[in-house]
Amino acid sequence: MHFTGLTNTEFALLFSAAGLAAVVFYLLSFRRRKAVVATEPIWRRVLGKRRTPFRKLMALLLQILVLFLLSLAAADPKTRLSTQSQPVAQAIIIDTSASMNAFDEKGIRLKLA
């Protein structure tokens, strides 16, 4: 398999930069400021239980998988054909104009074609 959109180095750099950004945002999500508000009991009932660290880690892994697939799509991978040449398109054109209905020594030109 080879990439037609990006080189191998560009693909690796793109994926690693996107993955690093996802991990940095994941680590920054643990730093939250506590703020006491008057409607805290209401919000606690609305939000229910908070996200557990396991669920956050699974979300990070899913984000990295999506980033890998997006990087792979940008690289446009193709498989190489083994020893076979590229397919060739062929077209057959038949002239059906009035000159093809003319008689020659061997008959009508259209039938001969």
Side-chain angles (χ1 to χ4, degrees), residues 27-69:
L27 293 174
L28 288 177
S29 71
F30 286 115
R31 298 180 57 194
R32 292 188 182 189
R33 286 191 271 160
K34 297 275 183 178
V36 179
V37 292
T39 59
E40 183 181 2
I42 297 171
W43 283 111
R44 200 174 295 154
R45 277 191 285 171
V46 169
L47 294 177
K49 64 179 181 179
R50 294 198 172 266
R51 292 175 61 182
T52 62
F54 176 72
R55 290 176 71 189
K56 286 179 110 175
L57 183 63
M58 291 305 292
L60 173 67
L61 293 176
L62 182 65
Q63 289 172 2
I64 290 175
L65 176 66
V66 168
L67 290 172
F68 174 75
L69 293 175

Coordinates of all heavy atoms in Angstrom, one line a residue, residues 27-69:
L27 N -5.9 15.9 29.0 CA -5.3 16.2 30.3 C -5.8 17.6 30.9 O -5.9 17.7 32.1 CB -3.8 16.3 30.1 CG -3.1 14.9 29.8 CD1 -1.6 15.1 29.5 CD2 -3.4 13.9 30.9
L28 N -6.1 18.5 30.0 CA -6.6 19.8 30.5 C -8.0 19.7 31.1 O -8.5 20.5 31.8 CB -6.6 20.8 29.4 CG -5.2 21.4 29.0 CD1 -5.3 22.3 27.9 CD2 -4.5 22.0 30.2
S29 N -8.8 18.6 30.6 CA -10.1 18.5 31.1 C -10.2 18.1 32.6 O -11.2 18.2 33.2 CB -10.9 17.4 30.3 OG -10.4 16.1 30.6
F30 N -9.1 17.6 33.2 CA -9.1 17.3 34.6 C -9.0 18.5 35.5 O -9.3 18.4 36.7 CB -7.9 16.3 34.9 CG -8.1 14.9 34.4 CD1 -7.3 14.4 33.4 CD2 -9.2 14.2 34.9 CE1 -7.5 13.1 33.0 CE2 -9.4 12.9 34.5 CZ -8.6 12.4 33.5
R31 N -8.5 19.6 35.0 CA -8.4 20.8 35.7 C -9.6 21.7 35.6 O -9.8 22.4 34.7 CB -7.2 21.6 35.2 CG -5.9 20.9 35.4 CD -4.7 21.7 34.9 NE -4.7 23.0 35.6 CZ -4.0 24.0 35.2 NH1 -3.3 23.9 34.1 NH2 -4.0 25.1 35.9
R32 N -10.5 21.5 36.6 CA -11.7 22.3 36.6 C -11.7 23.2 37.9 O -11.3 22.8 38.9 CB -12.9 21.4 36.7 CG -13.1 20.6 35.4 CD -14.4 19.9 35.5 NE -14.6 19.1 34.2 CZ -15.7 18.5 33.9 NH1 -16.7 18.6 34.7 NH2 -15.8 17.8 32.8
R33 N -12.3 24.4 37.7 CA -12.4 25.3 38.8 C -13.7 25.0 39.5 O -14.7 24.8 38.8 CB -12.3 26.7 38.4 CG -10.9 27.1 38.0 CD -10.9 28.6 37.8 NE -11.2 28.9 36.4 CZ -11.5 30.0 36.0 NH1 -11.7 31.1 36.8 NH2 -11.8 30.2 34.7
K34 N -13.7 25.0 40.8 CA -15.0 24.8 41.5 C -15.6 26.2 41.7 O -14.9 27.2 42.1 CB -14.7 24.2 42.9 CG -14.1 22.8 42.9 CD -15.2 21.9 42.8 CE -14.6 20.4 42.8 NZ -15.6 19.4 42.7
A35 N -16.9 26.3 41.4 CA -17.6 27.5 41.6 C -19.0 27.1 42.3 O -19.7 26.2 41.8 CB -17.9 28.2 40.3
V36 N -19.2 27.8 43.4 CA -20.5 27.5 44.1 C -21.6 28.4 43.5 O -21.4 29.6 43.5 CB -20.3 27.7 45.6 CG1 -21.6 27.5 46.3 CG2 -19.2 26.8 46.1
V37 N -22.7 27.8 43.1 CA -23.8 28.6 42.6 C -25.0 28.2 43.3 O -25.1 27.2 43.9 CB -24.0 28.4 41.1 CG1 -22.8 28.9 40.2 CG2 -24.2 26.9 40.8
A38 N -26.0 29.1 43.3 CA -27.2 28.9 44.1 C -28.1 27.7 43.5 O -28.8 27.1 44.2 CB -28.1 30.2 44.1
T39 N -27.9 27.4 42.2 CA -28.7 26.4 41.6 C -28.0 25.0 41.5 O -28.4 24.2 40.7 CB -29.1 26.8 40.2 OG1 -27.9 27.1 39.5 CG2 -30.0 28.1 40.2
E40 N -27.0 24.8 42.4 CA -26.3 23.6 42.3 C -27.1 22.3 42.5 O -26.9 21.4 41.8 CB -25.1 23.6 43.4 CG -24.3 22.4 43.3 CD -23.2 22.5 44.4 OE1 -23.1 23.4 45.2 OE2 -22.4 21.5 44.4
P41 N -28.1 22.3 43.5 CA -28.9 21.1 43.6 C -29.7 20.8 42.4 O -29.9 19.6 42.0 CB -29.8 21.4 44.8 CG -29.1 22.5 45.6 CD -28.4 23.3 44.6
I42 N -30.1 21.8 41.7 CA -30.9 21.6 40.4 C -30.0 21.0 39.4 O -30.3 20.0 38.7 CB -31.6 22.9 39.9 CG1 -32.6 23.4 41.0 CG2 -32.2 22.7 38.6 CD1 -33.1 24.7 40.7
W43 N -28.8 21.5 39.2 CA -27.9 21.0 38.2 C -27.4 19.6 38.5 O -27.2 18.8 37.6 CB -26.7 22.0 38.1 CG -27.0 23.2 37.3 CD1 -27.0 24.5 37.8 CD2 -27.3 23.3 35.9 NE1 -27.4 25.3 36.8 CE2 -27.5 24.6 35.6 CE3 -27.4 22.4 34.9 CZ2 -27.8 25.1 34.4 CZ3 -27.7 22.8 33.6 CH2 -27.9 24.1 33.4
R44 N -27.3 19.3 39.8 CA -26.8 18.0 40.2 C -27.9 16.9 39.8 O -27.6 15.9 39.3 CB -26.6 17.9 41.7 CG -25.8 16.7 42.1 CD -25.4 16.7 43.5 NE -24.6 17.9 43.9 CZ -24.5 18.5 45.1 NH1 -25.2 18.0 46.1 NH2 -23.7 19.5 45.3
R45 N -29.2 17.3 39.9 CA -30.2 16.4 39.5 C -30.3 16.3 38.0 O -30.6 15.2 37.4 CB -31.6 16.8 40.0 CG -31.8 16.4 41.4 CD -33.3 16.6 41.8 NE -33.4 18.1 42.1 CZ -34.6 18.7 42.3 NH1 -35.7 18.0 42.3 NH2 -34.6 19.9 42.5
V46 N -30.1 17.4 37.3 CA -30.2 17.4 35.8 C -29.0 16.6 35.2 O -29.2 15.8 34.3 CB -30.2 18.8 35.3 CG1 -30.0 18.9 33.8 CG2 -31.5 19.5 35.7
L47 N -27.8 16.8 35.7 CA -26.7 16.2 35.1 C -26.5 14.7 35.5 O -25.9 13.9 34.8 CB -25.4 17.0 35.4 CG -25.3 18.4 34.8 CD1 -24.1 19.1 35.3 CD2 -25.3 18.3 33.3
G48 N -27.0 14.4 36.7 CA -26.9 13.0 37.1 C -25.4 12.7 37.5 O -24.7 13.6 38.0
K49 N -25.0 11.5 37.3 CA -23.6 11.2 37.7 C -22.6 11.8 36.7 O -22.9 11.9 35.5 CB -23.4 9.7 37.8 CG -23.6 8.9 36.5 CD -23.4 7.5 36.8 CE -23.6 6.7 35.5 NZ -23.4 5.3 35.7
R50 N -21.5 12.1 37.2 CA -20.4 12.6 36.3 C -19.7 11.5 35.5 O -19.9 10.4 35.8 CB -19.4 13.4 37.2 CG -20.0 14.6 37.8 CD -18.8 15.5 38.3 NE -19.3 16.7 38.8 CZ -19.4 17.8 38.0 NH1 -19.1 17.8 36.8 NH2 -19.9 18.9 38.5
R51 N -19.0 12.0 34.6 CA -18.2 11.0 33.7 C -17.1 10.4 34.6 O -16.4 11.1 35.3 CB -17.6 11.7 32.6 CG -18.6 12.2 31.6 CD -18.0 13.0 30.5 NE -17.0 12.2 29.7 CZ -16.3 12.7 28.7 NH1 -16.5 14.0 28.3 NH2 -15.5 12.0 28.1
T52 N -16.9 9.1 34.5 CA -15.9 8.4 35.2 C -14.6 8.5 34.4 O -14.6 8.8 33.2 CB -16.2 7.0 35.5 OG1 -16.4 6.3 34.2 CG2 -17.6 6.9 36.2
P53 N -13.4 8.3 35.1 CA -12.2 8.4 34.4 C -12.1 7.3 33.3 O -11.5 7.5 32.2 CB -11.1 8.1 35.4 CG -11.7 8.5 36.7 CD -13.2 8.3 36.5
F54 N -12.7 6.1 33.5 CA -12.7 5.1 32.5 C -13.5 5.6 31.2 O -13.0 5.3 30.1 CB -13.4 3.8 33.0 CG -13.5 2.7 32.0 CD1 -12.4 2.0 31.5 CD2 -14.7 2.4 31.5 CE1 -12.5 1.1 30.6 CE2 -14.9 1.4 30.5 CZ -13.7 0.7 30.1
R55 N -14.6 6.2 31.4 CA -15.4 6.7 30.3 C -14.6 7.8 29.5 O -14.7 7.9 28.3 CB -16.7 7.2 30.7 CG -17.6 6.0 31.1 CD -19.0 6.5 31.7 NE -19.8 7.0 30.6 CZ -20.9 7.7 30.8 NH1 -21.4 7.9 32.0 NH2 -21.6 8.1 29.7
K56 N -13.9 8.6 30.3 CA -13.1 9.7 29.7 C -12.0 9.1 28.8 O -11.6 9.5 27.7 CB -12.5 10.6 30.7 CG -13.5 11.6 31.3 CD -12.9 12.4 32.4 CE -12.8 13.8 31.9 NZ -12.3 14.8 32.9
L57 N -11.3 8.0 29.4 CA -10.3 7.4 28.7 C -10.8 6.7 27.4 O -10.2 6.8 26.3 CB -9.6 6.3 29.6 CG -8.4 5.6 28.9 CD1 -7.3 6.6 28.6 CD2 -7.9 4.5 29.9
M58 N -12.0 6.1 27.5 CA -12.6 5.5 26.3 C -12.9 6.5 25.2 O -12.7 6.3 24.0 CB -13.8 4.7 26.7 CG -13.5 3.4 27.5 SD -12.3 2.3 26.7 CE -13.3 1.7 25.3
A59 N -13.4 7.7 25.7 CA -13.6 8.8 24.8 C -12.4 9.3 24.1 O -12.4 9.6 22.9 CB -14.3 9.9 25.5
L60 N -11.3 9.3 24.8 CA -10.0 9.7 24.3 C -9.5 8.7 23.2 O -9.1 9.1 22.1 CB -8.9 9.9 25.4 CG -7.5 10.1 24.8 CD1 -7.4 11.5 24.2 CD2 -6.5 9.9 26.0
L61 N -9.6 7.4 23.5 CA -9.2 6.4 22.5 C -10.1 6.5 21.3 O -9.6 6.3 20.2 CB -9.3 5.0 23.2 CG -8.3 4.8 24.3 CD1 -8.5 3.4 24.9 CD2 -6.9 4.9 23.8
L62 N -11.4 6.7 21.4 CA -12.3 6.9 20.3 C -11.9 8.1 19.5 O -11.9 8.1 18.2 CB -13.7 7.0 20.7 CG -14.7 7.1 19.6 CD1 -14.8 5.9 18.8 CD2 -16.1 7.4 20.2
Q63 N -11.5 9.2 20.1 CA -11.1 10.4 19.4 C -9.8 10.1 18.6 O -9.6 10.6 17.5 CB -10.8 11.6 20.4 CG -12.1 12.1 21.0 CD -11.8 13.1 22.1 OE1 -10.6 13.4 22.4 NE2 -12.8 13.6 22.7
I64 N -8.9 9.4 19.2 CA -7.6 9.1 18.5 C -7.9 8.2 17.3 O -7.3 8.4 16.3 CB -6.6 8.5 19.5 CG1 -6.1 9.5 20.5 CG2 -5.4 7.8 18.8 CD1 -5.2 9.0 21.6
L65 N -8.8 7.3 17.5 CA -9.2 6.4 16.3 C -9.8 7.2 15.2 O -9.4 7.0 14.0 CB -10.2 5.3 16.8 CG -10.7 4.4 15.7 CD1 -9.6 3.6 15.1 CD2 -11.8 3.6 16.2
V66 N -10.6 8.2 15.5 CA -11.2 9.0 14.5 C -10.2 9.9 13.8 O -10.1 10.1 12.6 CB -12.4 9.9 15.1 CG1 -12.8 11.0 14.2 CG2 -13.5 9.0 15.5
L67 N -9.2 10.4 14.6 CA -8.1 11.2 14.1 C -7.2 10.4 13.1 O -6.8 10.8 12.1 CB -7.3 11.8 15.2 CG -8.0 12.9 16.0 CD1 -7.1 13.3 17.2 CD2 -8.3 14.1 15.1
F68 N -7.0 9.1 13.5 CA -6.2 8.2 12.7 C -6.9 8.0 11.3 O -6.3 8.0 10.3 CB -6.0 6.9 13.4 CG -5.3 5.9 12.5 CD1 -3.9 6.0 12.2 CD2 -6.0 4.8 11.9 CE1 -3.3 5.1 11.4 CE2 -5.4 3.9 11.1 CZ -4.0 4.0 10.9
L69 N -8.3 7.7 11.4 CA -9.0 7.5 10.2 C -9.1 8.7 9.3 O -9.0 8.7 8.1 CB -10.4 7.0 10.5 CG -10.5 5.6 11.1 CD1 -11.9 5.3 11.5 CD2 -9.9 4.6 10.2

